[in-house]
Amino acid sequence: MAFESKEQAQAYWKENLATMGSLLAIWFLVSFGAGVLFVDILNNIQIGGFKLGFWFSQQGSIYTFVALIFVYVVRMNALDRKFNVQED
């Protein structure tokens, strides 16, 4: 990976960190927020006989994490193409 300038490399990493920060914030909100903070409110809703707060604690945060991995891959590939540092 070769950047054309130091400024281009800094801009790339700034966007990369912004992407990671936003995805980690989403994961935190789903795993901690839905599984711990809002569990009492979510337990009023049931999915397949299980309370929604329990479902988020046990499964929802894992599914969200896997989905965020795919989102990260797509966004990083787009970022690589934007800065012309893709691995082709």
Side-chain angles (χ1 to χ4, degrees):
M1 204 167 29
F3 292 101
E4 294 176 5
S5 66
K6 186 176 181 178
E7 291 80 21
Q8 185 186 25
Q10 288 175 338
Y12 175 87
W13 286 108
K14 183 178 179 181
E15 286 192 44
N16 184 7
L17 291 175
T19 298
M20 284 193 294
S22 63
L23 295 178
L24 285 172
I26 291 168
W27 188 35
F28 173 79
L29 288 174
V30 170
S31 62
F32 187 73
V36 177
L37 296 178
F38 307 117
V39 71
D40 294 329
I41 297 167
L42 293 173
N43 278 340
N44 294 325
I45 303 168
Q46 290 194 1
I47 293 180
F50 296 101
K51 295 179 179 181
L52 187 60
F54 171 79
W55 186 84
F56 268 110
S57 297
Q58 299 300 313
Q59 303 296 327
S61 60
I62 296 168
Y63 291 147
T64 302
F65 178 68
V66 171
L68 290 177
I69 290 172
F70 287 105
V71 170
Y72 180 74
V73 167
V74 169
R75 291 190 64 178
M76 286 308 298
N77 284 337
L79 185 63
D80 287 349
R81 282 190 299 280
K82 177 181 176 182
F83 285 93
N84 198 26
V85 291
Q86 68 272 17
E87 297 177 7
D88 288 336

